Amino acid sequence: MSQTDIILDGILDAGEILLKAGAEISRVEDTVRRMSVAYGFVRVDVFVITSNIVVTVHTEDGSNITQTRRITGRSTNMRKIEQVNALSRKVCANPIPAGEFREAVADISRMPACSNRVILAAYLIIASAFAVFFGGTIRDGAAAAVCSLVPYGLSYYGEKIRLQPIILIIVESAAICLSALFTVWIGLGSNINYIIIGNIMLLIPGVALMTAVRDMIMGETISGVLGICEAVVRAIAIAIGCAMVLLGFGVKL
């Protein structure tokens, strides 16, 4: 593989990291374009949507190189976005050797997410805080915190077995309602509405929806529409999971 191919492959890897970590489309395109120009490509054409990256670069000798990258999943990882942005600024200020650049990108890709303890603590705090915020009592907040262990466990093992995301959301929302019913039944919580709401907030795709809206504002209409559709489908999946349990048990909210 030539130096040019190594550099372009590394740049595409950086773009893939950004897109998978939840960065907006304009940021991905701008980062890929800036790094490509920094490494001496005379023209860069970038097309990015939520599931695909296509880059064509033109070299000084008149040749063209095109690479495509399929993106199979997205999440939110601000730490990786920050690290790729820092690497991009470093490369634009003073391009580093191709091998060093590829290794830096690989290091970011291998960067671990937050520890399970931190994620669990976030689940407990968010669920209990929202339950109280929407009008629940301290008991409801405690019940919501207990119930949050269920979506945390399902999310952890669902990713392990690579369960389809929409199916996982349906299962999580149904399990949340079941656990909320149980906490009220044993007397830990008093109002099932607020317990469920506190935990459902863990599943709401708020960041993805706002990113999609920002994409549309920036003129990335296709990606914005795709992102909004994905957020709506996730919301419908949450409603389906809750409805199956609540209607099945005859619960009136």
Side-chain angles (χ1 to χ4, degrees), residues 62-122:
S63 60
N64 301 326
I65 304 174
T66 300
Q67 286 197 23
T68 303
R69 191 66 55 87
R70 177 76 167 89
I71 309 301
T72 56
R74 298 184 73 184
S75 59
T76 301
N77 192 324
M78 302 305 295
R79 186 183 179 193
K80 286 189 176 182
I81 294 176
E82 179 185 4
Q83 292 298 315
V84 173
N85 287 340
L87 177 62
S88 176
R89 288 190 290 269
K90 179 180 178 180
V91 166
C92 290
N94 185 23
I96 59 179
E100 183 180 342
F101 173 65
R102 285 297 304 276
E103 185 60 32
V105 173
D107 288 341
I108 297 174
S109 180
R110 292 192 295 263
M111 186 180 296
C114 295
S115 67
N116 292 330
R117 290 183 180 180
V118 173
I119 296 175
L120 177 57

Side-chain angles (χ1 to χ4, degrees), residues 77-252:
N77 192 324
M78 302 305 295
R79 186 183 179 193
K80 286 189 176 182
I81 294 176
E82 179 185 4
Q83 292 298 315
V84 173
N85 287 340
L87 177 62
S88 176
R89 288 190 290 269
K90 179 180 178 180
V91 166
C92 290
N94 185 23
I96 59 179
E100 183 180 342
F101 173 65
R102 285 297 304 276
E103 185 60 32
V105 173
D107 288 341
I108 297 174
S109 180
R110 292 192 295 263
M111 186 180 296
C114 295
S115 67
N116 292 330
R117 290 183 180 180
V118 173
I119 296 175
L120 177 57
Y123 268 73
L124 295 171
I125 294 171
I126 292 172
S128 59
F130 272 114
V132 175
F133 174 79
F134 283 109
T137 64
I138 298 299
R139 287 175 55 197
D140 294 329
V146 172
C147 292
S148 69
L149 298 173
V150 175
Y152 168 77
L154 289 173
S155 177
Y156 178 79
Y157 288 106
E159 291 180 1
K160 288 285 186 181
I161 64 174
R162 296 184 179 181
L163 186 63
Q164 209 281 334
I166 300 302
I167 301 300
L168 179 58
I169 291 174
I170 294 175
V171 173
E172 286 180 322
S173 57
I176 285 171
C177 292
L178 285 173
S179 59
L181 287 169
F182 179 74
T183 57
V184 172
W185 179 66
I186 65 175
L188 177 59
S190 58
N191 194 315
I192 190 174
N193 292 9
Y194 302 124
I195 299 172
I196 292 176
I197 290 172
N199 279 272
I200 288 299
M201 293 302 294
L202 296 167
L203 306 180
I204 298 296
V207 175
L209 181 60
M210 290 301 99
T211 300
V213 171
R214 180 171 179 176
D215 284 337
M216 293 193 69
I217 293 174
M218 296 296 293
E220 304 291 345
T221 307
I222 296 176
S223 298
V225 171
L226 290 174
I228 291 174
C229 289
E230 182 180 357
V232 170
V233 170
R234 287 176 177 269
I236 292 173
I238 294 172
I240 291 173
C242 291
M244 287 192 303
V245 173
L246 297 179
L247 293 177
F249 282 86
V251 178
K252 295 182 179 180

